[in-house]
Amino acid sequence: MSIELRMVLKRLFARRYPTEVLPDWEPAPWRMELKAAEKQKRGFLERAEYSIRWKPLHWESFPEEGIFGEKKAWFQSHDVAYVASLGREDLILIQNLYFGFPDPPEWGLASRPSSQSKGNWSHWGHFPDIPEAWELP
């Protein structure tokens, strides 16, 4: 990581939470301790740099066995619109049905290790715009 990027990140995280961590990004859940929000934001920023080709979920042809160990109802109840696998990590891209103030921004990101099909998902917050490195169909 370049020195310039480190300094920018340090300034972002040195500000007071919640709106000053980064105004366009929100932690999930919204009320979260500063250190936890900073960790979540770092996880989002790391994944935002990855070149990810997202696959849309097609409800009419959703596999009966599920995806990533989760059934169709789980994906629908969490507003998941896209999935991807990257290395040893499975990712879900959430497209919130209700978004914008006072609701969270439109998009959310969560992931978990591919080896933990029954494990908990790590949420990386909500954001209004798709990172440039990501590709949606």
Side-chain angles (χ1 to χ4, degrees), residues 5 27 35 46 64 67-68 79 87 97-98 104 107 129 134 136:
L5 181 56
K35 288 208 183 282
E46 177 184 334
E64 190 174 317
I67 300 173
F68 303 150
D79 292 335
L97 183 59
Y98 299 103
W107 302 98
D129 300 308
W134 296 0
L136 294 181

Side-chain angles (χ1 to χ4, degrees), residues 2-128:
S2 72
I3 293 173
E4 293 84 14
L5 181 56
R6 282 188 199 153
M7 292 183 71
V8 167
L9 290 174
K10 187 175 180 181
R11 280 196 305 263
L12 285 173
F13 294 128
R15 296 177 183 166
R16 296 191 53 81
Y17 172 79
T19 58
E20 291 180 357
V21 170
L22 187 63
D24 292 342
W25 174 89
E26 290 183 10
W30 190 79
R31 291 211 176 265
M32 178 181 279
E33 298 231 355
L34 179 59
K35 288 208 183 282
E38 289 173 345
K39 180 180 177 188
Q40 198 176 79
K41 180 62 180 174
R42 281 191 304 272
F44 168 73
L45 290 173
E46 177 184 334
R47 287 158 182 82
E49 292 180 6
Y50 297 157
S51 178
I52 301 174
R53 185 176 218 163
W54 292 96
K55 297 174 195 160
L57 292 178
H58 298 289
W59 303 120
E60 65 281 353
S61 60
F62 196 91
E64 190 174 317
E65 69 276 7
I67 300 173
F68 303 150
E70 306 289 356
K71 298 292 185 181
K72 179 179 178 179
W74 183 90
F75 281 92
Q76 290 175 321
S77 69
H78 288 86
D79 292 335
V80 178
Y82 299 89
V83 296
S85 288
L86 193 62
R88 296 184 215 150
E89 188 173 46
D90 295 330
L91 300 113
I92 57 174
L93 183 60
I94 299 158
Q95 188 172 21
N96 291 306
L97 183 59
Y98 299 103
F99 59 89
F101 186 81
D103 296 314
E106 181 174 6
W107 302 98
L109 177 67
S111 69
R112 72 175 178 202
S114 298
S115 61
Q116 296 180 1
S117 65
K118 294 296 180 191
N120 292 329
W121 291 88
S122 295
H123 207 302
W124 304 111
H126 296 281
F127 42 95

